[in-house]
C-alpha cells in the first residue's frame, strides 16, 4: 500500500459568489418602501498552507478534487448572504506548486507559508446597493461571480541540510539510523528504502537535518529505478554525502566507479548541484575486505579533492568525526546564506492612459473586448432582465468601451465579444445613450430596448426581401 507520495495533480475549485437579491420593502400603508435586497456572500478560497506535521501528499493522491464552499445569496430586508468558508489544504514543508505546463507558481518553504491556489468568486450586489439618485428602485441585482477552477501539480522537495546519496544497499538507511533517531526500514536486498527518510542530528551546538535518498542506479536521471522519483529531494540540501559500499559482492563495481556513476546522474539531473560541498563516506569497514578496499581507494579520492571518512554503521565506527564534519559544513552554508529581508511592498500605480481593457478586431470582423472589469461585469449580468442589461451598457459606456469600439472602426450591428474565446458573451453592438431616470420604465425594464435598432431592422428587411423573392419564385408558371 502506498504510504508516501511526493507528486500529485490536484483539481481545486473555489466557491462561487452568492447572487444579490432584488427586493422591495413592503409594510402596511407603505407598499413601496424602497429597495432592500441584500448582497451575496463571497465564495471561499482554496489555500495551500505549510504544516510541519504533514510529511506526504498521500491525502491528495486519494482525493485529488477539492472545492471550497459557495457564498450564500442575499435576502430581502437588507440581509447579506454568508461568505463561503475558505478551504485550507495542509501541505508538507518544501512543496512546489506548478501549473500543468510545469511553470512554478509558488515554492512553499517554512511553517505557515500560504498560497491561494483558487480565488473565490465575488458576491453580487443587491438592489439596495445599486440604488442611486438616477435609479432609485432598481428592479435587478447582480449575479455572483464563479470561483476559479485550477488544475495544479504539487511536488514535494525535502527540506534537509544533508542528503545521503549512493547505490542501493550502500548503507544509507543504516547510517541515518545511527546518526539520528530516525528508524527507516533496513534489509539486505536492493531498493529496501522506497521513500526518503528524514532525521535530526545534533553535533555540539549545531542541529541539522539529514535525509537519505532511495538508491540511485545508472540512468536514474532518465527514469530508471527509483532515482527520478526522488532526485528532486536533493535539490534543497546544503551538503551532499556519497555513501560508498566497500563490501559489495558485485565484481564489476568498486567505490570509485560508483562515485563516478552517481556524480554523472546528479550532473544530468541538475547542473546546479555541482557547487554543493561533497563528503565521501566509505561504509562497511567492519568487514575485513571492506577495510582493505577503503584504505586502497582513499588516496585516489583524496587526490580528487574529497574529504573521506571511513565508517561502519554496524560497529558505530567513525560516526562522531563524520557528524561534526557535516555540522561544520552546514554551519558554513548557513552563514554564507544571504540574510532574509522583510518583504518589500511594491506599489505599481496604474498608468494614466491605461483604461484597464483592450479592444481588438479579429480576422472574421468580430471585435473582442478583454479586461478584468468588463469580463466580470458581463458575468454578473442577468441577461433575462432588460434593466440589468441596460445597467451593463451604462457601465461599459462610462468605462470608455463604446468610444474604443468607435475608434476601432465598429459600426452599428457589428459583432462584439466580451471575454476569452472559450467563454465569451457575443452580441450585436448598438451604440447606446446615457440613461436617466426618465429612460427607465417599470422594474426590470429599460425603454432603450424598445426603440428600433438599426441592425435588427436590417435583418428584418433582409428576411422580408428573401420571403418576397421566394413567393415570386413559387408563383412563377413556366410557358
Amino acid at each position: 500500500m502506498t504510504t508516501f507520495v511526493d507528486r500529485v495533480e490536484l483539481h481545486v475549485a473555489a466557491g462561487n459568489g452568492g447572487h444579490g437579491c432584488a427586493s422591495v420593502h413592503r409594510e402596511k400603508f407603505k407598499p413601496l418602501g424602497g429597495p432592500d435586497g441584500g448582497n451575496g456572500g463571497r465564495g471561499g478560497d482554496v489555500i495551500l498552507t505549510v504544516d510541519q506535521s504533514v510529511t506526504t501528499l498521500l491525502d491528495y493522491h486519494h482525493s485529488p478534487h477539492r472545492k471550497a464552499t459557495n457564498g450564500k445569496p442575499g435576502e430581502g430586508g437588507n440581509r447579506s448572504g454568508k461568505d463561503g468558508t475558505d478551504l485550507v489544504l495542509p501541505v508538507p514543508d518544501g512543496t512546489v506548486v506548478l501549473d500543468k505546463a510545469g511553470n512554478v507558481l509558488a515554492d512553499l518553504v517554512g511553517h505557515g507559508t500560504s498560497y491561494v491556489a483558487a480565488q473565490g468568486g465575488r458576491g453580487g450586489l443587491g438592489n439596495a446597493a445599486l440604488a442611486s439618485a438616477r435609479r432609485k428602485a432598481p428592479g435587478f441585482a447582480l449575479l455572483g461571480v464563479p470561483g476559479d477552477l485550477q488544475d495544479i501539480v504539487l511536488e514535494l522537495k525535502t527540506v534537509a541540510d544533508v542528503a545521503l546519496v549512493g547505490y542501493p544497499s550502500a548503507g544509507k538507511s543504516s547510517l541515518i539510523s545511527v546518526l539520528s533517531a530516525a528508524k527507516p526500514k533496513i534489509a539486505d536486498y536492493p531498493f529496501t528504502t522506497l521513500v526518503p527518510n528524514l532525521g535530526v542530528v545534533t553535533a555540539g551546538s549545531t542541529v541539522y537535518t539529514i535525509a537519505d535518498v532511495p538508491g540511485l542506479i545508472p540512468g536514474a536521471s532518465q527514469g530508471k529505478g527509483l532515482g527520478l522519483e526522488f532526485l528532486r529531494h536533493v535539490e534543497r540540501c546544503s551538503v551532499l554525502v556519497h555513501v560508498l559500499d566497500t563490501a559489495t559482492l558485485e565484481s564489476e563495481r568498486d567505490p570509485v566507479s560508483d562515485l563516478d556513476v552517481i556524480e554523472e546522474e546528479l550532473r544530468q539531473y541538475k547542473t546546479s548541484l555541482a557547487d554543493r560541498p561533497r563528503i565521501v563516506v566509505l561504509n562497511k569497514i567492519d568487514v575485513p575486505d571492506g577495510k582493505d578496499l577503503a584504505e586502497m581507494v582513499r588516496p585516489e579520492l583524496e587526490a580528487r579533492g574529497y574529504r573521506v571518512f571511513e565508517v561502519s554503521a554496524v560497529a558505530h565506527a567513525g560516526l562522531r568525526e563524520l557528524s561534526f564534519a557535516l555540522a561544520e559544513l552546514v554551519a558554513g552554508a548557513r552563514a554564507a546564506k544571504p540574510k532574509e529581508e522583510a518583504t518589500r511592498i511594491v506599489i505599481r500605480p496604474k498608468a494614466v492612459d491605461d483604461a484597464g481593457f483592450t479592444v481588438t478586431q479579429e480576422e472574421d470582423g468580430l471585435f473582442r473586448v478583454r479586461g478584468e472589469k468588463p469580463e466580470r461585469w458581463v458575468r454578473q449580468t442577468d441577461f433575462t432582465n432588460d434593466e440589468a442589461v441596460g445597467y451593463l451598457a451604462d457601465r461599459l459606456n462610462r468605462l470608455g468601451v463604446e468610444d474604443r469600439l468607435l475608434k476601432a472602426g465598429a459600426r452599428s450591428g457589428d459583432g462584439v465579444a466580451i471575454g476569452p474565446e472559450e467563454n465569451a458573451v457575443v452580441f450585436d453592438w448598438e451604440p447606446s445613450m446615457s440613461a436617466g431616470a426618465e429612460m427607465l420604465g417599470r422594474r426590470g425594464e429599460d425603454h432603450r430596448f424598445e426603440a428600433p435598432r438599426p441592425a435588427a431592422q436590417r435583418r428584418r428587411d433582409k428576411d422580408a426581401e428573401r420571403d418576397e423573392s421566394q413567393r415570386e419564385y413559387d408563383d412563377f408558371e413556366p410557358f
Side-chain angles (χ1 to χ4, degrees), residues 167-422:
Y167 265 76
S169 297
K172 299 184 299 297
S173 297
S174 299
L175 195 58
I176 197 174
S177 69
V178 294
L179 286 173
S180 70
K183 301 300 179 186
K185 181 180 179 182
I186 301 172
D188 59 352
Y189 55 84
F191 297 112
T192 306
T193 305
L194 299 179
V195 302
N197 295 299
L198 196 64
V200 179
V201 182
T202 301
S205 60
T206 304
V207 179
Y208 59 92
T209 54
I210 185 169
D212 71 321
V213 179
L216 305 181
I217 61 174
S221 58
Q222 281 75 46
K224 286 188 178 182
L226 300 176
L228 188 59
E229 292 296 321
F230 300 113
L231 269 171
R232 69 173 68 96
H233 293 278
V234 305
E235 291 185 33
R236 300 187 191 277
C237 68
S238 302
V239 181
L240 283 174
V241 177
H242 284 283
V243 181
L244 304 180
D245 188 354
T246 61
T248 178
L249 299 177
E250 300 178 38
S251 57
E252 68 277 7
R253 283 178 50 200
D254 64 83
V256 176
S257 62
D258 286 358
L259 175 65
D260 293 337
V261 168
I262 300 304
E263 277 292 335
E264 178 62 19
E265 294 306 319
L266 293 174
R267 186 190 65 80
Q268 291 187 19
Y269 175 73
K270 213 80 168 179
T271 56
S272 60
L273 295 174
D275 60 348
R276 309 294 167 85
R278 265 97 159 141
I279 280 182
V280 172
V281 171
L282 299 174
N283 194 22
K284 303 183 183 178
I285 61 169
D286 56 294
V287 179
D289 290 342
K291 178 65 174 177
D292 295 340
L293 184 56
E295 293 176 352
M296 186 183 305
V297 301
R298 179 168 186 157
E300 181 178 350
L301 296 173
E302 289 178 339
R304 295 187 181 188
Y306 292 109
R307 293 180 65 182
V308 181
F309 293 84
E310 298 179 17
V311 305
S312 170
V314 174
H316 289 212
L319 299 179
R320 180 178 174 82
E321 294 80 0
L322 173 62
S323 176
F324 276 87
L326 293 175
E328 180 185 348
L329 290 174
V330 169
R334 291 174 179 172
K337 187 177 180 181
K339 292 184 178 180
E340 295 185 1
E341 298 181 357
T343 303
R344 296 178 62 187
I345 299 176
V346 180
I347 300 176
R348 295 184 176 87
K350 189 173 68 172
V352 176
D353 58 348
D354 183 8
F357 66 92
T358 60
V359 175
T360 57
Q361 185 175 15
E362 300 181 350
E363 294 181 357
D364 58 0
L366 183 72
F367 291 87
R368 187 172 298 278
V369 179
R370 296 300 310 271
E372 189 272 331
K373 283 186 177 180
E375 293 179 33
R376 171 164 52 84
W377 292 347
V378 164
R379 291 195 299 270
Q380 290 183 303
T381 300
D382 178 8
F383 285 93
T384 64
N385 186 304
D386 285 349
E387 190 179 352
V389 177
Y391 178 72
L392 170 65
D394 292 340
R395 299 177 90 181
L396 294 175
N397 190 16
R398 289 195 298 270
L399 188 63
V401 173
E402 291 203 353
D403 291 340
R404 284 285 188 90
L405 286 170
L406 289 170
K407 291 179 181 178
R411 296 171 49 193
S412 177
D414 286 343
V416 174
I418 299 180
E421 186 173 351
E422 65 275 7

Side-chain angles (χ1 to χ4, degrees), residues 12-15 44-48 68 115-121 147-150 152:
V12 294
D45 299 334
V46 178
I47 305 173
L48 304 176
Y115 170 70
V116 179
Q119 188 85 39
D148 292 341
L149 299 174
Q150 299 288 352
I152 57 177

Side-chain angles (χ1 to χ4, degrees), residues 71 93 190 379 449:
D93 193 3
R379 291 195 299 270
F449 292 95

